[in-house]
Every structure is written in C-alpha cells, then in structure tokens.
Amino acid sequence: MTFHQTHLLGIEALRPEEITTLLDLADRYVDLSRGETKHTDVLAGLTQINMFFENSTRTQASFELAGKRLGADVMNMAMQASSIKKGETLIDTALTLNAMQPDLLVVRHPNSGAVDLLAQKVHCAVLNAGDGRHEHPTQALLDALTIRRAKGRLHRLNIAICGDIAHSRVARSNLILLGKMENRVRLIGPPTLLPAGIQEFGVEVYDDMTEGLKDVDVVMMLRLQKERMDGGFIPSEREYYHRYGLDEAKLSHAKDDAIVMHPGPMNRGVEIDGTIADDINRSVIQDQVEMGVAVRMAAMDLLAQNLRARRANAA
Ligand code: NCD
C-alpha cells in the first residue's frame, strides 16, 4: 500500500501515488455506498471526533456518514456552544479532547494553519476539513475522483477554476492536486479575486470567461466567499454574474463534453446559473457530494491503518 501519512493536513504533502491509492480505495467505497448494506467494520472500536469551528453542512455530514459506514464511534462536538466561546484556546480544547483518546480528529477552523498546529498537540490522526484560505484536502480529492470517473483519467486535462480564487482553500488544494497529476490548470477571475503571487503556481490566468473557458474539459466554479471579504472586491453581484457567472453562453466556449463542478454551497444567479447547476448532462455537482463520502471513507481507512501500524510498532 502506498500511503505513508500520519495526518491528512493538505494536498501539499501527498505524492501522486498516494493520491492514486486513496482514489482507488474510494472507488470501492462508492460501490459499498451504493449497495444495500452500506457498512464495513474497518474502523470498529475507533473513536472519531468532528470539531467544526466554522459552519458546515455537507462536509460535516459527509465525515459523519463516512465514519459511521466504517463502523467508528462518531461524535460531533458543537463548537459554537463549547468552551471556545468562554475563551478557551484551541490548544486547550485539543488537549481536553486528546485526553478522551480519540483515534481520528476531523477539524475545520477559520484560521489558516490552525489544523496543522493542533495536529502537533494530539496523539491521533488529524484530518483537515478546511482551514481558512489554506487547504481543504478532502474537497480536492473528491473533486479529483469526480473528474477521474467522468473523464476516465486524471491527467492531461484542461481545467478551469473560476471566480473567487483568492479566498478559496478549495481552489488552493485543487490547484496543487491537479498540478501534481499533470493537468493544465487555468484560473479565471477578476484581478481583485486572484491571490498575490499566483504566477508561481505555473498556471495560466485569465480575467475573461470567454477566453479562459475555450476548449476546457472541466469547469470548476467557486462560491463568492463574502464572509472572507472586507470591502469592495466586486462592483455588484449583478455585474459579477454578468462577467463571471457561468451561463449557457459562456459555457458554450468549453468543450462539448465539458463537465461543470461546484463545491457548494452555491449562490445561484451569482456565480452560476441555476439551470446549468441542475443540468444532469453537464453538472456533476451531485456526484461531487456522493464522492465526498467515499473519499472520506478512504482517507480515514488509510490513516487508521497507519495509526494501528504505528501503535503496534510502539508496543
Ligand atoms: C467549501 C468550503 O467550506 O471551503 N465548501 C465545502 O466544503 N463544501 C467551499 C465554500 O465554502 O465555498
């Protein structure tokens, strides 16, 4: 087995073979999840704690379901109502949880780097469920699985990532993953929503959708992350939709069989036309959600195998 990680903190640390190992296992978990008995016991006896310091619907539900399908004992910490509100630091919270002997800790946090910090303080496997603008590795992996299944491969594809790239950990993790797997990635968005130093990533940058979408295989739309903006990044939502929102006319420049993706939650009529999002011949947005559960099952399975091996060696 090629997967040597202790934690899943970002795509940065993964080698291409590790990504392939994880996606291959995830394919098997798609089959399991489509069957009648959606259950194995590979995590039986292990405790998984989900700590979400930022709102989440699909990611948290997906991790919870993934853990349950693998037979773990899953606990969701309601962080809004927790001691954090009383001023406890992230590290104190982590140490308290560590004392409860979890085996897998799934963490989402508004600060970039917070999950890495936490991983240094605990004795279990930590999975990053999104930290600030930094990384969201399971999202990039589920996107990769969705693309691989739809296109039959995960290399030499032309992929456009569009919209609010500056604030997006999804864009960052995807950029790293798709680059590692040797795809051509283009970024399309207004200059105000592109991160500084983007040239270093070796990608093509466009501020015009018509030009940028020409002949792409995959169109990945991003949510306009208003909660991370502190002022005038865009003139107005109407203007933004006009220039950068994905509609039929703009999509017609992509390849005829191009797929449309969005990590959710979607702002219909802001970054994407609702009809395109719902078009089952183009949009794979629901597939992304399905692949999310399978990819998280695979990630937790692999990390738990490594955790058990480390413990056996230490004993
Ligand atoms: C993304 C996130 O939280 O980073 N959502 C998700 O995990 N499905 C993207 C977003 O919030 O726009």
Side-chain angles (χ1 to χ4, degrees), residues 213-256:
L213 289 181
K214 196 166 177 333
D215 293 331
V216 298
D217 300 287
V218 178
V219 184
M220 194 180 281
M221 300 307 299
L222 297 170
R223 183 174 65 89
L224 200 59
Q225 308 216 357
K226 287 174 261 182
E227 77 279 15
R228 295 190 206 283
M229 297 182 191
D230 43 11
F233 283 91
I234 56 160
S236 72
E237 285 185 2
R238 223 173 125 231
E239 172 75 10
Y240 183 82
Y241 181 69
H242 177 66
R243 294 212 48 194
Y244 299 100
L246 187 68
D247 57 17
E248 228 16 278
K250 296 189 191 91
L251 183 58
S252 70
H253 297 279
K255 283 193 185 152
D256 289 341

mmCIF file of all heavy atoms in Angstrom, residues 213-256:
data_model
loop_
_atom_site.group_PDB
_atom_site.id
_atom_site.type_symbol
_atom_site.label_atom_id
_atom_site.label_comp_id
_atom_site.label_asym_id
_atom_site.label_seq_id
_atom_site.Cartn_x
_atom_site.Cartn_y
_atom_site.Cartn_z
ATOM 1 N N LEU A 213 -12.367 29.888 -20.890
ATOM 2 C CA LEU A 213 -13.066 28.597 -20.956
ATOM 3 C C LEU A 213 -12.858 27.863 -22.277
ATOM 4 O O LEU A 213 -13.286 26.716 -22.435
ATOM 5 C CB LEU A 213 -14.575 28.799 -20.732
ATOM 6 C CG LEU A 213 -15.001 29.167 -19.307
ATOM 7 C CD1 LEU A 213 -16.516 29.309 -19.218
ATOM 8 C CD2 LEU A 213 -14.518 28.132 -18.296
ATOM 9 N N LYS A 214 -12.181 28.507 -23.203
ATOM 10 C CA LYS A 214 -12.021 27.921 -24.529
ATOM 11 C C LYS A 214 -11.404 26.516 -24.444
ATOM 12 O O LYS A 214 -10.314 26.337 -23.922
ATOM 13 C CB LYS A 214 -11.135 28.831 -25.385
ATOM 14 C CG LYS A 214 -11.226 28.527 -26.856
ATOM 15 C CD LYS A 214 -10.616 29.646 -27.675
ATOM 16 C CE LYS A 214 -10.607 29.373 -29.162
ATOM 17 N NZ LYS A 214 -10.584 27.987 -29.600
ATOM 18 N N ASP A 215 -12.171 25.539 -24.912
ATOM 19 C CA ASP A 215 -11.696 24.147 -25.030
ATOM 20 C C ASP A 215 -11.336 23.450 -23.720
ATOM 21 O O ASP A 215 -10.533 22.515 -23.721
ATOM 22 C CB ASP A 215 -10.488 24.057 -25.977
ATOM 23 C CG ASP A 215 -10.889 24.376 -27.411
ATOM 24 O OD1 ASP A 215 -12.064 24.114 -27.749
ATOM 25 O OD2 ASP A 215 -10.054 24.903 -28.162
ATOM 26 N N VAL A 216 -11.899 23.890 -22.604
ATOM 27 C CA VAL A 216 -11.577 23.176 -21.359
ATOM 28 C C VAL A 216 -12.439 21.916 -21.219
ATOM 29 O O VAL A 216 -13.538 21.815 -21.759
ATOM 30 C CB VAL A 216 -11.716 24.059 -20.083
ATOM 31 C CG1 VAL A 216 -10.753 25.238 -20.128
ATOM 32 C CG2 VAL A 216 -13.137 24.503 -19.849
ATOM 33 N N ASP A 217 -11.905 20.944 -20.486
ATOM 34 C CA ASP A 217 -12.616 19.693 -20.204
ATOM 35 C C ASP A 217 -13.445 19.797 -18.930
ATOM 36 O O ASP A 217 -14.432 19.077 -18.757
ATOM 37 C CB ASP A 217 -11.606 18.552 -19.986
ATOM 38 C CG ASP A 217 -10.724 18.316 -21.196
ATOM 39 O OD1 ASP A 217 -11.244 17.781 -22.182
ATOM 40 O OD2 ASP A 217 -9.532 18.681 -21.151
ATOM 41 N N VAL A 218 -12.990 20.653 -18.023
ATOM 42 C CA VAL A 218 -13.632 20.763 -16.706
ATOM 43 C C VAL A 218 -13.767 22.237 -16.333
ATOM 44 O O VAL A 218 -12.797 23.003 -16.440
ATOM 45 C CB VAL A 218 -12.784 20.047 -15.621
ATOM 46 C CG1 VAL A 218 -13.419 20.211 -14.244
ATOM 47 C CG2 VAL A 218 -12.591 18.564 -15.961
ATOM 48 N N VAL A 219 -14.978 22.619 -15.907
ATOM 49 C CA VAL A 219 -15.212 23.982 -15.437
ATOM 50 C C VAL A 219 -15.547 23.908 -13.952
ATOM 51 O O VAL A 219 -16.594 23.372 -13.563
ATOM 52 C CB VAL A 219 -16.400 24.646 -16.175
ATOM 53 C CG1 VAL A 219 -16.551 26.100 -15.743
ATOM 54 C CG2 VAL A 219 -16.242 24.533 -17.677
ATOM 55 N N MET A 220 -14.651 24.401 -13.137
ATOM 56 C CA MET A 220 -14.874 24.334 -11.693
ATOM 57 C C MET A 220 -15.230 25.730 -11.198
ATOM 58 O O MET A 220 -14.417 26.654 -11.278
ATOM 59 C CB MET A 220 -13.567 23.842 -11.052
ATOM 60 C CG MET A 220 -13.700 23.401 -9.630
ATOM 61 S SD MET A 220 -12.095 22.841 -9.003
ATOM 62 C CE MET A 220 -11.971 21.200 -9.681
ATOM 63 N N MET A 221 -16.477 25.885 -10.739
ATOM 64 C CA MET A 221 -16.925 27.194 -10.251
ATOM 65 C C MET A 221 -16.720 27.271 -8.734
ATOM 66 O O MET A 221 -16.803 26.264 -8.040
ATOM 67 C CB MET A 221 -18.408 27.407 -10.581
ATOM 68 C CG MET A 221 -18.739 27.367 -12.052
ATOM 69 S SD MET A 221 -17.729 28.486 -13.069
ATOM 70 C CE MET A 221 -18.157 30.082 -12.364
ATOM 71 N N LEU A 222 -16.496 28.478 -8.237
ATOM 72 C CA LEU A 222 -16.307 28.669 -6.795
ATOM 73 C C LEU A 222 -17.338 29.642 -6.265
ATOM 74 O O LEU A 222 -17.785 30.540 -6.972
ATOM 75 C CB LEU A 222 -14.924 29.248 -6.519
ATOM 76 C CG LEU A 222 -13.727 28.386 -6.922
ATOM 77 C CD1 LEU A 222 -12.462 29.216 -6.811
ATOM 78 C CD2 LEU A 222 -13.645 27.140 -6.046
ATOM 79 N N ARG A 223 -17.663 29.464 -5.010
ATOM 80 C CA ARG A 223 -18.592 30.391 -4.348
ATOM 81 C C ARG A 223 -17.893 31.722 -4.086
ATOM 82 O O ARG A 223 -16.720 31.759 -3.738
ATOM 83 C CB ARG A 223 -19.045 29.789 -3.015
ATOM 84 C CG ARG A 223 -20.053 30.602 -2.255
ATOM 85 C CD ARG A 223 -20.535 29.833 -1.041
ATOM 86 N NE ARG A 223 -19.455 29.617 -0.078
ATOM 87 C CZ ARG A 223 -19.133 30.452 0.894
ATOM 88 N NH1 ARG A 223 -19.801 31.580 1.041
ATOM 89 N NH2 ARG A 223 -18.154 30.176 1.717
ATOM 90 N N LEU A 224 -18.651 32.783 -4.275
ATOM 91 C CA LEU A 224 -18.169 34.109 -3.897
ATOM 92 C C LEU A 224 -18.193 34.165 -2.361
ATOM 93 O O LEU A 224 -19.257 34.144 -1.752
ATOM 94 C CB LEU A 224 -19.127 35.140 -4.506
ATOM 95 C CG LEU A 224 -18.662 36.566 -4.673
ATOM 96 C CD1 LEU A 224 -17.417 36.667 -5.546
ATOM 97 C CD2 LEU A 224 -19.785 37.389 -5.293
ATOM 98 N N GLN A 225 -17.012 34.157 -1.742
ATOM 99 C CA GLN A 225 -16.928 33.982 -0.277
ATOM 100 C C GLN A 225 -17.039 35.321 0.442
ATOM 101 O O GLN A 225 -16.044 35.875 0.922
ATOM 102 C CB GLN A 225 -15.615 33.280 0.081
ATOM 103 C CG GLN A 225 -15.431 32.019 -0.727
ATOM 104 C CD GLN A 225 -14.766 30.898 0.044
ATOM 105 O OE1 GLN A 225 -14.358 31.014 1.188
ATOM 106 N NE2 GLN A 225 -14.669 29.769 -0.607
ATOM 107 N N LYS A 226 -18.277 35.776 0.519
ATOM 108 C CA LYS A 226 -18.490 37.125 1.058
ATOM 109 C C LYS A 226 -18.016 37.262 2.499
ATOM 110 O O LYS A 226 -17.576 38.315 2.918
ATOM 111 C CB LYS A 226 -19.976 37.490 0.934
ATOM 112 C CG LYS A 226 -20.358 37.777 -0.510
ATOM 113 C CD LYS A 226 -21.839 37.996 -0.686
ATOM 114 C CE LYS A 226 -22.477 36.710 -1.188
ATOM 115 N NZ LYS A 226 -23.912 36.821 -1.435
ATOM 116 N N GLU A 227 -18.100 36.142 3.257
ATOM 117 C CA GLU A 227 -17.702 36.238 4.660
ATOM 118 C C GLU A 227 -16.202 36.459 4.831
ATOM 119 O O GLU A 227 -15.748 36.848 5.901
ATOM 120 C CB GLU A 227 -18.158 34.985 5.431
ATOM 121 C CG GLU A 227 -17.320 33.717 5.222
ATOM 122 C CD GLU A 227 -17.643 32.939 3.939
ATOM 123 O OE1 GLU A 227 -18.312 33.496 3.049
ATOM 124 O OE2 GLU A 227 -17.202 31.778 3.825
ATOM 125 N N ARG A 228 -15.436 36.211 3.772
ATOM 126 C CA ARG A 228 -13.993 36.450 3.880
ATOM 127 C C ARG A 228 -13.568 37.771 3.237
ATOM 128 O O ARG A 228 -12.389 38.062 3.114
ATOM 129 C CB ARG A 228 -13.219 35.300 3.230
ATOM 130 C CG ARG A 228 -13.387 33.974 3.922
ATOM 131 C CD ARG A 228 -12.420 32.912 3.417
ATOM 132 N NE ARG A 228 -12.953 31.578 3.598
ATOM 133 C CZ ARG A 228 -12.983 30.936 4.763
ATOM 134 N NH1 ARG A 228 -12.487 31.495 5.835
ATOM 135 N NH2 ARG A 228 -13.516 29.737 4.846
ATOM 136 N N MET A 229 -14.551 38.554 2.796
ATOM 137 C CA MET A 229 -14.209 39.822 2.127
ATOM 138 C C MET A 229 -14.468 40.975 3.072
ATOM 139 O O MET A 229 -15.485 41.016 3.737
ATOM 140 C CB MET A 229 -15.091 40.019 0.893
ATOM 141 C CG MET A 229 -14.887 38.956 -0.139
ATOM 142 S SD MET A 229 -15.897 39.265 -1.569
ATOM 143 C CE MET A 229 -15.687 37.719 -2.424
ATOM 144 N N ASP A 230 -13.541 41.918 3.096
ATOM 145 C CA ASP A 230 -13.788 43.073 3.947
ATOM 146 C C ASP A 230 -13.821 44.331 3.092
ATOM 147 O O ASP A 230 -13.024 45.225 3.239
ATOM 148 C CB ASP A 230 -12.737 43.168 5.062
ATOM 149 C CG ASP A 230 -11.335 42.895 4.510
ATOM 150 O OD1 ASP A 230 -11.185 42.857 3.268
ATOM 151 O OD2 ASP A 230 -10.404 42.735 5.313
ATOM 152 N N GLY A 231 -14.715 44.366 2.148
ATOM 153 C CA GLY A 231 -14.837 45.572 1.338
ATOM 154 C C GLY A 231 -14.994 45.282 -0.132
ATOM 155 O O GLY A 231 -15.384 44.198 -0.521
ATOM 156 N N GLY A 232 -14.638 46.262 -0.956
ATOM 157 C CA GLY A 232 -15.025 46.270 -2.368
ATOM 158 C C GLY A 232 -14.236 45.383 -3.297
ATOM 159 O O GLY A 232 -13.472 45.865 -4.119
ATOM 160 N N PHE A 233 -14.419 44.081 -3.200
ATOM 161 C CA PHE A 233 -13.753 43.196 -4.141
ATOM 162 C C PHE A 233 -14.467 43.137 -5.478
ATOM 163 O O PHE A 233 -13.854 42.897 -6.500
ATOM 164 C CB PHE A 233 -13.649 41.773 -3.556
ATOM 165 C CG PHE A 233 -12.572 41.636 -2.518
ATOM 166 C CD1 PHE A 233 -12.842 41.841 -1.179
ATOM 167 C CD2 PHE A 233 -11.276 41.296 -2.894
ATOM 168 C CE1 PHE A 233 -11.840 41.716 -0.227
ATOM 169 C CE2 PHE A 233 -10.271 41.169 -1.957
ATOM 170 C CZ PHE A 233 -10.560 41.381 -0.612
ATOM 171 N N ILE A 234 -15.793 43.300 -5.451
ATOM 172 C CA ILE A 234 -16.550 43.270 -6.702
ATOM 173 C C ILE A 234 -17.494 44.469 -6.735
ATOM 174 O O ILE A 234 -17.935 44.944 -5.694
ATOM 175 C CB ILE A 234 -17.389 41.974 -6.850
ATOM 176 C CG1 ILE A 234 -18.347 41.790 -5.645
ATOM 177 C CG2 ILE A 234 -16.502 40.749 -7.023
ATOM 178 C CD1 ILE A 234 -19.498 40.859 -5.947
ATOM 179 N N PRO A 235 -17.774 44.983 -7.946
ATOM 180 C CA PRO A 235 -18.652 46.145 -8.052
ATOM 181 C C PRO A 235 -20.064 45.840 -7.523
ATOM 182 O O PRO A 235 -20.569 46.542 -6.668
ATOM 183 C CB PRO A 235 -18.668 46.458 -9.546
ATOM 184 C CG PRO A 235 -17.873 45.411 -10.247
ATOM 185 C CD PRO A 235 -17.247 44.520 -9.246
ATOM 186 N N SER A 236 -20.701 44.780 -8.003
ATOM 187 C CA SER A 236 -22.015 44.357 -7.511
ATOM 188 C C SER A 236 -22.211 42.914 -7.939
ATOM 189 O O SER A 236 -21.543 42.442 -8.866
ATOM 190 C CB SER A 236 -23.146 45.210 -8.114
ATOM 191 O OG SER A 236 -23.308 44.861 -9.483
ATOM 192 N N GLU A 237 -23.130 42.219 -7.279
ATOM 193 C CA GLU A 237 -23.356 40.818 -7.649
ATOM 194 C C GLU A 237 -23.885 40.698 -9.067
ATOM 195 O O GLU A 237 -23.583 39.741 -9.769
ATOM 196 C CB GLU A 237 -24.321 40.153 -6.655
ATOM 197 C CG GLU A 237 -23.632 39.863 -5.342
ATOM 198 C CD GLU A 237 -24.480 39.099 -4.344
ATOM 199 O OE1 GLU A 237 -25.641 38.743 -4.683
ATOM 200 O OE2 GLU A 237 -23.980 38.874 -3.234
ATOM 201 N N ARG A 238 -24.669 41.680 -9.482
ATOM 202 C CA ARG A 238 -25.239 41.642 -10.832
ATOM 203 C C ARG A 238 -24.143 41.744 -11.881
ATOM 204 O O ARG A 238 -24.093 40.998 -12.843
ATOM 205 C CB ARG A 238 -26.242 42.789 -10.980
ATOM 206 C CG ARG A 238 -27.482 42.342 -11.676
ATOM 207 C CD ARG A 238 -28.564 43.337 -11.710
ATOM 208 N NE ARG A 238 -28.935 43.523 -13.103
ATOM 209 C CZ ARG A 238 -29.019 44.683 -13.682
ATOM 210 N NH1 ARG A 238 -28.788 45.792 -12.985
ATOM 211 N NH2 ARG A 238 -29.352 44.764 -14.934
ATOM 212 N N GLU A 239 -23.267 42.691 -11.630
ATOM 213 C CA GLU A 239 -22.130 42.903 -12.534
ATOM 214 C C GLU A 239 -21.222 41.656 -12.533
ATOM 215 O O GLU A 239 -20.723 41.210 -13.566
ATOM 216 C CB GLU A 239 -21.373 44.150 -12.039
ATOM 217 C CG GLU A 239 -20.052 44.431 -12.723
ATOM 218 C CD GLU A 239 -20.213 44.998 -14.135
ATOM 219 O OE1 GLU A 239 -21.355 45.352 -14.495
ATOM 220 O OE2 GLU A 239 -19.203 45.067 -14.868
ATOM 221 N N TYR A 240 -21.042 41.091 -11.342
ATOM 222 C CA TYR A 240 -20.191 39.910 -11.224
ATOM 223 C C TYR A 240 -20.771 38.763 -12.046
ATOM 224 O O TYR A 240 -20.075 38.083 -12.793
ATOM 225 C CB TYR A 240 -20.058 39.507 -9.749
ATOM 226 C CG TYR A 240 -19.131 38.317 -9.530
ATOM 227 C CD1 TYR A 240 -17.750 38.486 -9.470
ATOM 228 C CD2 TYR A 240 -19.647 37.027 -9.397
ATOM 229 C CE1 TYR A 240 -16.901 37.394 -9.299
ATOM 230 C CE2 TYR A 240 -18.809 35.936 -9.217
ATOM 231 C CZ TYR A 240 -17.436 36.122 -9.172
ATOM 232 O OH TYR A 240 -16.606 35.050 -9.002
ATOM 233 N N TYR A 241 -22.082 38.553 -11.905
ATOM 234 C CA TYR A 241 -22.738 37.474 -12.658
ATOM 235 C C TYR A 241 -22.585 37.700 -14.158
ATOM 236 O O TYR A 241 -22.305 36.779 -14.922
ATOM 237 C CB TYR A 241 -24.225 37.390 -12.280
ATOM 238 C CG TYR A 241 -24.942 36.285 -13.015
ATOM 239 C CD1 TYR A 241 -24.652 34.953 -12.723
ATOM 240 C CD2 TYR A 241 -25.883 36.561 -13.998
ATOM 241 C CE1 TYR A 241 -25.285 33.917 -13.408
ATOM 242 C CE2 TYR A 241 -26.522 35.530 -14.686
ATOM 243 C CZ TYR A 241 -26.219 34.213 -14.385
ATOM 244 O OH TYR A 241 -26.824 33.202 -15.066
ATOM 245 N N HIS A 242 -22.770 38.939 -14.554
ATOM 246 C CA HIS A 242 -22.655 39.287 -15.964
ATOM 247 C C HIS A 242 -21.274 38.902 -16.516
ATOM 248 O O HIS A 242 -21.162 38.304 -17.577
ATOM 249 C CB HIS A 242 -22.920 40.783 -16.127
ATOM 250 C CG HIS A 242 -22.768 41.259 -17.531
ATOM 251 N ND1 HIS A 242 -23.602 40.852 -18.539
ATOM 252 C CD2 HIS A 242 -21.850 42.076 -18.091
ATOM 253 C CE1 HIS A 242 -23.208 41.410 -19.676
ATOM 254 N NE2 HIS A 242 -22.143 42.146 -19.430
ATOM 255 N N ARG A 243 -20.222 39.206 -15.754
ATOM 256 C CA ARG A 243 -18.867 38.970 -16.261
ATOM 257 C C ARG A 243 -18.331 37.572 -15.951
ATOM 258 O O ARG A 243 -17.617 36.989 -16.741
ATOM 259 C CB ARG A 243 -17.908 40.017 -15.666
ATOM 260 C CG ARG A 243 -18.216 41.424 -16.142
ATOM 261 C CD ARG A 243 -16.975 42.269 -16.231
ATOM 262 N NE ARG A 243 -15.876 41.598 -16.933
ATOM 263 C CZ ARG A 243 -14.628 42.023 -16.911
ATOM 264 N NH1 ARG A 243 -14.315 43.095 -16.199
ATOM 265 N NH2 ARG A 243 -13.688 41.374 -17.564
ATOM 266 N N TYR A 244 -18.650 37.052 -14.761
ATOM 267 C CA TYR A 244 -18.002 35.804 -14.327
ATOM 268 C C TYR A 244 -18.969 34.668 -14.002
ATOM 269 O O TYR A 244 -18.540 33.546 -13.767
ATOM 270 C CB TYR A 244 -17.093 36.082 -13.120
ATOM 271 C CG TYR A 244 -16.005 37.064 -13.454
ATOM 272 C CD1 TYR A 244 -16.119 38.407 -13.083
ATOM 273 C CD2 TYR A 244 -14.894 36.662 -14.192
ATOM 274 C CE1 TYR A 244 -15.137 39.321 -13.426
ATOM 275 C CE2 TYR A 244 -13.905 37.566 -14.536
ATOM 276 C CZ TYR A 244 -14.031 38.894 -14.151
ATOM 277 O OH TYR A 244 -13.067 39.785 -14.507
ATOM 278 N N GLY A 245 -20.257 34.952 -13.947
ATOM 279 C CA GLY A 245 -21.219 33.902 -13.643
ATOM 280 C C GLY A 245 -21.276 32.904 -14.805
ATOM 281 O O GLY A 245 -21.251 33.305 -15.970
ATOM 282 N N LEU A 246 -21.363 31.606 -14.480
ATOM 283 C CA LEU A 246 -21.398 30.608 -15.554
ATOM 284 C C LEU A 246 -22.819 30.500 -16.091
ATOM 285 O O LEU A 246 -23.736 30.085 -15.378
ATOM 286 C CB LEU A 246 -20.917 29.246 -15.031
ATOM 287 C CG LEU A 246 -20.751 28.187 -16.126
ATOM 288 C CD1 LEU A 246 -19.597 28.545 -17.072
ATOM 289 C CD2 LEU A 246 -20.520 26.810 -15.510
ATOM 290 N N ASP A 247 -22.998 30.895 -17.352
ATOM 291 C CA ASP A 247 -24.292 30.738 -18.027
ATOM 292 C C ASP A 247 -24.069 29.975 -19.336
ATOM 293 O O ASP A 247 -22.927 29.653 -19.683
ATOM 294 C CB ASP A 247 -24.961 32.105 -18.266
ATOM 295 C CG ASP A 247 -24.073 33.052 -19.065
ATOM 296 O OD1 ASP A 247 -23.094 32.575 -19.707
ATOM 297 O OD2 ASP A 247 -24.331 34.266 -19.055
ATOM 298 N N GLU A 248 -25.143 29.703 -20.030
ATOM 299 C CA GLU A 248 -25.083 28.917 -21.280
ATOM 300 C C GLU A 248 -24.085 29.518 -22.277
ATOM 301 O O GLU A 248 -23.280 28.806 -22.869
ATOM 302 C CB GLU A 248 -26.488 28.924 -21.876
ATOM 303 C CG GLU A 248 -27.113 27.626 -22.336
ATOM 304 C CD GLU A 248 -26.532 26.305 -21.885
ATOM 305 O OE1 GLU A 248 -25.547 25.878 -22.523
ATOM 306 O OE2 GLU A 248 -27.070 25.674 -20.962
ATOM 307 N N ALA A 249 -24.142 30.838 -22.430
ATOM 308 C CA ALA A 249 -23.296 31.485 -23.442
ATOM 309 C C ALA A 249 -21.822 31.291 -23.119
ATOM 310 O O ALA A 249 -21.028 30.943 -24.007
ATOM 311 C CB ALA A 249 -23.629 32.977 -23.506
ATOM 312 N N LYS A 250 -21.456 31.465 -21.879
ATOM 313 C CA LYS A 250 -20.035 31.319 -21.529
ATOM 314 C C LYS A 250 -19.606 29.850 -21.623
ATOM 315 O O LYS A 250 -18.545 29.536 -22.144
ATOM 316 C CB LYS A 250 -19.777 31.865 -20.118
ATOM 317 C CG LYS A 250 -20.037 33.371 -19.994
ATOM 318 C CD LYS A 250 -19.562 33.883 -18.641
ATOM 319 C CE LYS A 250 -20.029 35.305 -18.366
ATOM 320 N NZ LYS A 250 -21.318 35.367 -17.657
ATOM 321 N N LEU A 251 -20.491 28.977 -21.148
ATOM 322 C CA LEU A 251 -20.154 27.544 -21.156
ATOM 323 C C LEU A 251 -19.966 27.007 -22.582
ATOM 324 O O LEU A 251 -19.233 26.050 -22.805
ATOM 325 C CB LEU A 251 -21.242 26.756 -20.407
ATOM 326 C CG LEU A 251 -21.033 25.255 -20.251
ATOM 327 C CD1 LEU A 251 -19.720 24.938 -19.526
ATOM 328 C CD2 LEU A 251 -22.205 24.614 -19.480
ATOM 329 N N SER A 252 -20.607 27.644 -23.545
ATOM 330 C CA SER A 252 -20.524 27.148 -24.934
ATOM 331 C C SER A 252 -19.098 27.213 -25.481
ATOM 332 O O SER A 252 -18.792 26.579 -26.485
ATOM 333 C CB SER A 252 -21.478 27.933 -25.835
ATOM 334 O OG SER A 252 -20.992 29.248 -25.985
ATOM 335 N N HIS A 253 -18.215 27.935 -24.819
ATOM 336 C CA HIS A 253 -16.822 28.007 -25.287
ATOM 337 C C HIS A 253 -15.985 26.819 -24.810
ATOM 338 O O HIS A 253 -14.908 26.564 -25.339
ATOM 339 C CB HIS A 253 -16.176 29.316 -24.823
ATOM 340 C CG HIS A 253 -16.859 30.504 -25.417
ATOM 341 N ND1 HIS A 253 -16.600 30.959 -26.690
ATOM 342 C CD2 HIS A 253 -17.847 31.300 -24.927
ATOM 343 C CE1 HIS A 253 -17.381 31.990 -26.946
ATOM 344 N NE2 HIS A 253 -18.152 32.217 -25.897
ATOM 345 N N ALA A 254 -16.482 26.123 -23.782
ATOM 346 C CA ALA A 254 -15.765 24.930 -23.298
ATOM 347 C C ALA A 254 -16.001 23.786 -24.288
ATOM 348 O O ALA A 254 -16.819 23.904 -25.206
ATOM 349 C CB ALA A 254 -16.283 24.551 -21.917
ATOM 350 N N LYS A 255 -15.304 22.660 -24.095
ATOM 351 C CA LYS A 255 -15.552 21.508 -24.963
ATOM 352 C C LYS A 255 -17.006 21.063 -24.835
ATOM 353 O O LYS A 255 -17.626 21.263 -23.789
ATOM 354 C CB LYS A 255 -14.635 20.347 -24.557
ATOM 355 C CG LYS A 255 -13.212 20.533 -25.047
ATOM 356 C CD LYS A 255 -12.413 19.255 -24.924
ATOM 357 C CE LYS A 255 -10.971 19.514 -25.317
ATOM 358 N NZ LYS A 255 -10.033 18.612 -24.637
ATOM 359 N N ASP A 256 -17.528 20.406 -25.864
ATOM 360 C CA ASP A 256 -18.932 19.972 -25.845
ATOM 361 C C ASP A 256 -19.229 19.038 -24.677
ATOM 362 O O ASP A 256 -20.335 19.032 -24.155
ATOM 363 C CB ASP A 256 -19.277 19.243 -27.144
ATOM 364 C CG ASP A 256 -19.348 20.214 -28.315
ATOM 365 O OD1 ASP A 256 -19.492 21.432 -28.052
ATOM 366 O OD2 ASP A 256 -19.240 19.750 -29.471
#
